[in-house]
Amino acid sequence: MNTLTNLTDSVRQPIDRMLTRAYAHTTARLQVIRNEQGMSTIEYAMGSLAAAALAAVLYMVINGNGVVSAIEGIITDALSNTPS
């Protein structure tokens, strides 16, 4: 029984130390993350670039012949149909 207890302690202690170090590291990293406020300049630049690219794509889609003709068709059908 004594050998089993010693074996269990010899296995448990390194695991306890490893978990304690992992907890301390994670806690310290979370504290650093919490202290970072706002976006950096590159994040603003990438966000602005992505927004401009999306706006350009939407502008091209809206001004394309397919969208304009589809909207015109919907409006023409709505105006030409009489209620039953």
Side-chain angles (χ1 to χ4, degrees):
M1 183 78 177
N2 193 7
T3 305
L4 184 59
T5 304
N6 290 339
L7 179 63
T8 304
D9 287 342
S10 68
V11 171
R12 187 177 30 158
Q13 288 173 352
I15 292 173
D16 286 345
R17 282 193 299 269
M18 179 187 67
L19 291 175
T20 302
R21 280 192 302 257
Y23 176 77
H25 175 74
T26 303
T27 303
R29 182 67 186 135
L30 285 174
Q31 191 63 29
V32 169
I33 290 171
R34 285 187 195 124
N35 290 337
E36 295 178 5
Q37 297 177 354
M39 292 192 300
S40 67
T41 304
I42 190 67
E43 289 170 329
Y44 277 117
M46 294 304 289
S48 299
L49 182 63
L54 179 61
V57 168
L58 290 176
Y59 179 79
M60 292 173 64
V61 167
I62 295 296
N63 287 328
N65 290 336
V67 174
V68 172
S69 62
I71 292 173
E72 287 176 354
I74 291 170
I75 292 172
T76 304
D77 288 343
L79 294 176
S80 65
N81 289 334
T82 57
S84 307

